[in-house]
Amino acid sequence: VTHVGKLQGKLMLTVGEVDTNVDPSSTLQVVDALLKADKDFEFYIVPNGGHGVGESAYLKRKRVEFFERWLGE
């Protein structure tokens, strides 16, 4: 959060609403800092999602789309 203004490149964040391993509020603190720093990013929060929600079919597809968009197919 402290150095978010120094980030460069493309960024995609995901979090499950009920993640018991990484408190979703931590991710939201990063999102808040990114907004305050006027940084572009993509963010997906999954209702009722736990830790590992990034391996869901939806977020796997979104991750592939993100990399294809920014790194080429």
Side-chain angles (χ1 to χ4, degrees):
V1 172
T2 303
H3 301 289
V4 76
K6 297 177 184 179
L7 289 174
Q8 297 179 0
K10 307 304 179 190
L11 180 63
M12 177 179 162
L13 300 168
T14 62
V15 68
E17 175 193 26
V18 292
D19 189 331
T20 57
N21 188 30
V22 178
D23 189 338
S25 67
S26 297
T27 304
L28 292 174
Q29 288 174 356
V30 174
V31 168
D32 185 50
L34 288 164
L35 292 169
K36 288 177 180 173
D38 196 29
K39 294 288 185 176
D40 290 327
F41 62 98
E42 296 180 30
F43 176 55
Y44 298 92
I45 185 165
V46 180
N48 299 311
H51 193 72
V53 73
E55 296 307 312
S56 68
Y58 176 78
L59 287 178
K60 280 183 181 179
R61 184 174 67 253
K62 289 295 158 187
R63 187 169 53 244
V64 168
E65 290 171 0
F66 178 85
F67 283 114
E68 286 177 345
R69 184 175 334 109
W70 299 115
L71 297 177
E73 294 186 42

